[in-house]
Amino acid sequence: MNNKNSSGNPEVAGKPSVEKSVTQPAPAGRSRRFRVDVGTIVSVVALAQSLLLVSLGYWGSQRLVSRIGVSAHKANHDRTEDKVLAFLQKAESVINAVGTAPSLQPAGEHSERTAELLWTLLQQSPELDSIYVSNEKGQMLMALRYPVPAMRYIERGAGSTTETWQYKLPLDAEADVQQRYATQRLESFRSNYNPTQRSWYVQACKAQGPIWTQPYVFAAAQELGVTYALPSKRRYADSSAQALVVAGDVSLGRLSEFVRQFSSDGYGDSALLSADFRVLARSDMPGVLHELQPPSGVLGALHAHMVADGTAGGGTDTEFSFTHEGRRYLVQASRIPSTGWQLVSWVPEDMLLGDLHRAVLWGLALALVFLAMALFMSLKLSKLVTAPVENLSHIARRIGLLELDNLPREPSRVLEIQHLDQALDDSARSLKAFSKFVPVDVINQLIDAGHTLAPSGSPRRVTVMFTDVEGFTSISESLDTDVLVVMLTEYFNLATGVFARHGGVVDKFIGDGIMVLWGAPSDLKDAEYKACLAALELHVEMDDLNRKWAAQGLPEFRTRVGIHTGTVIAGVLGSNDRLSYTAFGDVINVASRIEGFNKQLGTQTLMSETTFAGLGGRLHTRRIEEQAELRGRQTRMVLYELMTS
C-alpha cells in the first residue's frame, strides 16, 4: 500500500525531481563546482528514490492485479466445480438411497413397489435421466425421463429378451401424482438387450463398490452419458439371495449445462475431461457432444501444456498461465475425485485483467492526490467489518439465550461476515427445529437456576397432572390416520397452551396422554390451585373444540384428568449422551392411577386429598365417599372430583 501510494507515472514522478534540481544563487565565497555537485547529488538521489518508489509501486501493483485475476478466475472455477460436485453427489445419494431400500426387487411380488420408488425418485432428481436396478438373472426395472417418460421392464429368457414399456405422462404434466404414474400406453417386444453384459453392471460387480463408468452411448436414449452404479446384495424371505446392481444415468447434455454457466458472465470458458482425456463437455462450443473427441483449439493447447508438465489428470488443483497464438491465458484445473474427471477453465488474461492494468496506471498517477481520501475511506470501510461484527455478537448472545424468534440478518459485502451471518442463521434454525422436541423454557430455567446439563436429580414438591382421551382406541380405529393426526395436533396445541398459561411444564406426551408438572424445574407458588384452574380451562376449551369437530362430522375428545401432589425426584435424567428433564417417584405413579380411576367412576377430573388440601376450598369439589383402591397400591385413597360447574 505504501509503495502504491508513494508513486506515480514517470511524467508525474519527474516533476518533483525537476523542482528539487533547481538551484538558488550561491552565496559569496562558495565555488560554482561545489554548488553544481551538491545539486547534482540531490537531483540524482531524488530521482533515484522516485524511480525506485515508482518501480516498486508498479511491480507491487502488477503482482496484486495478477493475484486478483488468479483469485477471481479461481472463484469462478471453484463455483463451477462446486456445482458439478453437488450435481454428482445428488445423483450418488439418490442411487445410494435406492440401493438401501429393503424391498428392492426388479421382478416378483415387490417389483411394483420398486417401480413406484424409482419413479418417485426420478421425479425428484432432475440430475438423472433414468434410474434402474438389475439382478444376475438379467431381470431389470428402469424408470426413464428421456427420451420418453416410461417404466421399462426387462426379462431375460433363454435366447432373447422381452422388454415391456409402460409409457407415462410427462413429469411436468398438470396432473396429480397417481395420474402421472398411470400407464398411458403399453408396448412389449423382443430384443437382444442383456443387462448383465452392460459395462455399468460388469464394472460394478467387479469393483464390489460404487463406480462411475466411462462415457458410452445409452441404449434407450442413444445419447452419450455416464452411469453411476452400485452393487447391492439381497436375501429375501424365501432365503434366496440375489446380487443386484442399482444405477442411474447422467447424459453429457446435463453436464454441459453446468460448464456453460462458467462462461455466462463473459469471462472465459471451461471443460470437463474424462479420465482418458476426452472431452465430456465444454462451454466454448454450442450444442451437445454426440461423440467423444480429444481436446482441440485453446483446450487442446492447454492440455498439451499440462501433459508436458505432468499435471494432466493429476490429483491436485493446478493453476498456471500459457500463451497460445500470441494471447496469454490463465488456467485453473482440478480433479473430480469420485469420477476421475478433470475440470479445466481458462480465460484470456487481457479480458480479465486489461481494465485492471489500466486502473493501476491511473491509480499510480493519482495515489498522492487521493492519499487522504484513501485514509478516510479506509476508516469508513472498517465500519463494514466492525459494525456487522458487533451486531452479529448481539445475535449470538440471543442464540445463546435460546431467543430464536425474529432474529435479524446482517447483510454485508464482506465474505467472512456473510459466512458468519449464514452460520449463525443456520445455528438458529437448527436450534429452533430442535426446540420443537426439547422445551426451551425448561432449558432456560435450568440454566438460570445454575443446573448443569448432566445426569442429576433432587427431591422437589410438585403437582403432577396426567390427561387421557376417553375411548381413544375406538376413535383411532374409526378415523383415517391423516385426520387423526390433525385432530391430535390441534388437541395438543390447545392443551399445551392452557398448561403454559397456568405455569405448567409439559414433561412428555404419552400417546394421546400428557404428563404435566407444576413446581419443576422451578418452584411455583400455589401449584395445586393453578393445576386445577388449568384442568377447568382445558375442559371449557375442549367443549368449544368438540363443537367445532361435531359440525365437521368428527368424533369428540372427552378428556380425563388426574392430579396428585407430593415429593418426587426431579432433574436431568438419562445417559451421558441423551438427557431429558423429568420426574419419577410414587407421586407420578399415583397421579397416573388417579387419572385412570375416572373410567371406573365416570368422572372427568379427580384429585388426591393432598391436592385438595392445597386448594383451600377455592374451587368447587366433591368428595368421593368410597375410598378408591388404586391399582398397585395396598392402601386406599380419598379422592375428590373437581366440578366444572
Side-chain angles (χ1 to χ4, degrees):
M1 180 68 72
N2 292 335
N3 292 338
K4 178 178 178 181
N5 292 337
S6 303
S7 54
N9 59 33
E11 292 79 7
V12 176
K15 292 180 181 178
S17 300
V18 173
E19 293 172 358
K20 289 183 180 182
S21 66
V22 175
T23 59
Q24 300 295 329
R30 291 190 178 183
S31 67
R32 181 177 177 84
R33 180 178 179 183
F34 178 78
R35 184 174 64 247
V36 172
D37 287 345
V38 170
T40 303
I41 292 173
V42 172
S43 299
V44 169
V45 170
L47 180 60
Q49 289 178 338
S50 299
L51 290 175
L52 178 61
L53 290 176
V54 169
S55 300
L56 289 175
Y58 183 75
W59 174 77
S61 300
Q62 288 289 74
R63 282 180 57 85
L64 178 62
V65 167
S66 298
R67 292 304 303 169
I68 291 175
V70 171
S71 298
H73 183 51
K74 180 173 174 53
N76 288 338
H77 176 87
D78 291 344
R79 184 174 66 250
T80 303
E81 181 181 9
D82 290 342
K83 291 181 179 179
V84 172
L85 287 174
F87 178 91
L88 297 176
Q89 288 170 0
K90 176 63 183 301
E92 292 174 1
S93 65
V94 172
I95 301 306
N96 292 337
V98 175
T100 57
S103 302
L104 191 66
Q105 197 169 352
E109 58 178 342
H110 295 300
S111 60
E112 184 58 28
R113 187 184 304 174
T114 300
E116 292 181 359
L117 171 65
L118 298 183
W119 183 257
T120 301
L121 290 177
L122 184 65
Q123 293 183 81
Q124 300 175 354
S125 308
E127 299 82 4
L128 294 170
D129 291 284
S130 61
I131 307 175
Y132 46 95
V133 57
S134 176
N135 60 18
E136 56 196 0
K137 298 178 181 179
Q139 297 170 321
M140 189 175 88
L141 181 57
M142 171 185 282
L144 299 98
R145 180 195 315 275
Y146 183 78
V148 290
M151 291 299 304
R152 182 186 182 192
Y153 294 80
I154 294 179
E155 186 78 28
R156 181 69 180 171
S160 63
T161 298
T162 301
E163 293 196 29
T164 302
W165 288 61
Q166 296 180 358
Y167 295 97
K168 312 292 185 180
L169 287 174
L171 298 181
D172 56 354
E174 293 292 336
D176 58 31
V177 175
Q178 291 178 321
Q179 289 175 336
R180 286 200 300 268
Y181 185 68
T183 300
Q184 305 297 312
R185 181 167 58 90
L186 188 66
E187 183 180 357
S188 183
F189 56 88
R190 293 187 179 276
S191 70
N192 58 358
Y193 185 86
N194 187 352
T196 61
Q197 295 181 359
R198 302 295 290 180
S199 59
W200 52 268
Y201 187 95
V202 175
Q203 293 178 37
C205 291
K206 183 179 179 181
Q208 290 298 304
I211 56 99
W212 279 98
T213 67
Q214 291 297 317
Y216 68 99
V217 177
F218 294 154
Q222 290 299 303
E223 184 176 321
L224 280 171
V226 293
T227 298
Y228 178 73
L230 173 72
S232 177
K233 293 185 178 180
R234 286 290 187 279
R235 184 172 295 278
Y236 300 106
D238 58 358
S239 299
S240 63
Q242 281 192 14
L244 303 178
V245 174
V246 184
D249 292 337
V250 178
S251 67
L252 296 190
R254 297 197 181 276
L255 292 176
S256 299
E257 296 174 3
F258 283 93
V259 296
R260 286 198 180 92
Q261 292 180 6
F262 186 89
S263 59
S264 61
D265 57 2
Y267 294 105
D269 293 285
S270 62
L272 269 177
L273 303 180
S274 65
D276 56 356
F277 307 128
R278 293 187 291 178
V279 179
L280 300 178
R282 57 190 301 178
S283 63
D284 59 338
M285 290 188 176
V288 178
L289 300 176
H290 294 284
E291 59 180 7
L292 297 176
Q293 298 176 346
S296 59
V298 179
L299 179 60
L302 70 87
H303 181 259
H305 186 280
M306 295 174 64
V307 172
D309 288 347
T311 57
T316 58
D317 291 355
T318 304
E319 61 179 51
F320 61 91
S321 59
F322 80 108
T323 302
H324 175 66
E325 295 182 351
R327 199 173 191 185
R328 188 172 179 80
Y329 292 86
L330 299 178
V331 180
Q332 293 281 342
S334 59
R335 186 172 180 271
I336 308 299
S338 59
T339 61
W341 302 340
Q342 193 166 39
L343 177 64
V344 183
S345 59
W346 64 96
V347 61
E349 190 177 46
D350 58 350
M351 177 184 294
L352 187 64
L353 303 179
D355 293 339
L356 285 176
H357 283 305
R358 288 186 289 272
V360 166
L361 295 176
W362 280 104
L364 291 174
L366 300 174
L368 294 177
V369 177
F370 292 102
L371 177 59
M373 185 181 296
L375 292 175
F376 174 77
M377 291 302 298
S378 65
L379 293 176
K380 297 294 290 184
L381 290 175
S382 67
K383 293 293 185 180
L384 294 177
V385 176
T386 57
V389 168
E390 182 65 25
N391 293 336
L392 289 173
S393 68
H394 292 309
I395 296 174
R397 291 191 192 99
R398 289 185 60 184
I399 294 175
L401 296 174
L402 298 180
E403 298 174 2
L404 306 176
D405 292 328
N406 302 319
L407 287 176
R409 296 298 298 272
E410 185 59 38
S412 174
R413 294 183 180 276
V414 181
L415 185 60
E416 290 76 7
I417 300 297
Q418 293 178 11
H419 290 169
L420 180 57
D421 176 62
Q422 185 62 49
L424 288 176
D425 185 62
D426 292 342
S427 300
R429 286 190 286 107
S430 299
L431 285 173
K432 193 169 185 179
F434 182 68
S435 66
K436 300 296 183 181
F437 300 91
V438 179
V440 174
D441 54 346
V442 172
I443 296 177
N444 287 330
Q445 292 179 37
L446 290 173
I447 295 175
D448 293 340
H451 291 283
T452 59
L453 297 182
S456 62
S458 61
R460 182 179 290 274
R461 181 177 176 81
V462 300
T463 295
V464 185
M465 175 189 291
F466 275 86
T467 71
D468 181 57
V469 176
E470 180 180 335
F472 183 76
T473 301
S474 59
I475 292 175
S476 62
E477 291 175 350
S478 64
L479 293 175
D480 291 339
T481 302
D482 294 341
V483 176
L484 184 62
V485 169
V486 171
M487 293 181 68
L488 270 178
T489 302
E490 193 170 2
Y491 166 64
F492 285 149
N493 287 337
L494 182 148
T496 55
V498 171
F499 299 147
R501 286 194 294 273
H502 293 279
V505 175
V506 175
D507 181 273
K508 61 175 68 69
F509 296 96
I510 311 168
D512 60 301
I514 310 173
M515 173 181 168
V516 193
L517 302 177
W518 275 266
S522 299
D523 294 334
L524 183 65
K525 186 179 179 180
D526 214 3
E528 299 92 337
Y529 180 65
K530 293 179 180 179
C532 291
L533 286 179
L536 292 175
E537 184 175 338
L538 176 62
H539 291 314
V540 172
E541 296 281 347
M542 283 305 301
D543 288 342
D544 295 338
L545 181 59
N546 283 329
R547 281 192 290 270
K548 187 184 80 169
W549 283 346
Q552 298 173 359
L554 298 174
E556 299 180 353
F557 279 11
R558 189 171 185 268
T559 306
R560 297 185 301 214
V561 178
I563 309 173
H564 184 41
T565 303
T567 301
V568 300
I569 302 298
V572 180
L573 304 175
S575 63
N576 289 329
D577 58 355
R578 189 177 183 86
L579 302 173
S580 174
Y581 186 87
T582 188
F584 67 91
D586 184 59
V587 173
I588 306 298
N589 297 329
V590 171
S592 177
R593 301 291 190 272
I594 292 174
E595 181 278 317
F597 208 68
N598 280 292
K599 182 177 182 181
Q600 181 176 336
L601 297 179
T603 55
Q604 276 193 285
T605 304
L606 290 176
M607 70 182 75
S608 66
E609 192 171 18
T610 308
T611 303
F612 169 77
L615 289 180
R618 285 173 287 179
L619 296 175
H620 185 199
T621 59
R622 180 178 69 90
R623 178 187 174 97
I624 305 299
E625 295 300 332
E626 180 183 354
Q627 291 189 350
E629 181 180 357
L630 301 181
R631 181 167 54 87
R633 296 181 59 87
Q634 296 180 353
T635 59
R636 294 175 175 268
M637 291 188 65
V638 176
L639 299 181
Y640 290 82
E641 180 184 5
L642 180 63
M643 308 302 293
T644 57
S645 60

